[in-house]
């Protein structure tokens, strides 16, 4: 298993509160992988702009 990049308790809480559902361990892993991909894309964008700082504009979320 890779590093978990999301706060599991917070993810479980929002899913329970908003959907009255439980959360599988696989869901946490998928969300962590999605966060990692967003970070890597942000790094690429910042480098392409000649910056050493990832900014909000570098994080593009396609499907929400």
């Amino acid at each position: 298993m890779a590093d978990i990049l999301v706060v599991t308790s917070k993810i479980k809480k929002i899913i329970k509160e908003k959907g009255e559902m439980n959360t599988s361990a696989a869901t946490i892993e998928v969300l962590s992988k999605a966060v990692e991909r967003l970070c890597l894309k942000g790094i690429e964008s910042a480098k392409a702009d000649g910056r050493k700082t990832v900014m909000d504009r570098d994080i593009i979320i396609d499907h929400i």
Side-chain angles (χ1 to χ4, degrees):
M1 177 167 48
D3 290 336
I4 299 300
L5 301 177
V6 296
V7 180
T8 301
S9 62
K10 300 231 181 237
I11 299 298
K12 287 183 174 189
K13 181 180 177 187
I14 194 168
I15 290 174
K16 181 61 90 176
E17 288 178 355
K18 302 292 183 178
E20 298 179 2
M21 299 178 147
N22 296 319
T23 306
S24 73
T27 299
I28 303 304
E29 291 177 27
V30 168
L31 286 171
S32 287
K33 288 177 185 175
V35 169
E36 181 177 13
R37 284 192 304 271
L38 285 170
C39 290
L40 294 175
K41 287 183 179 184
I43 291 167
E44 289 175 15
S45 177
K47 283 183 178 181
D49 284 349
R51 290 182 279 110
K52 290 188 174 190
T53 302
V54 175
M55 303 175 83
D56 57 337
R57 65 180 184 232
D58 297 312
I59 307 296
I60 300 169
I61 301 172
D62 297 330
H63 305 293
I64 289 190

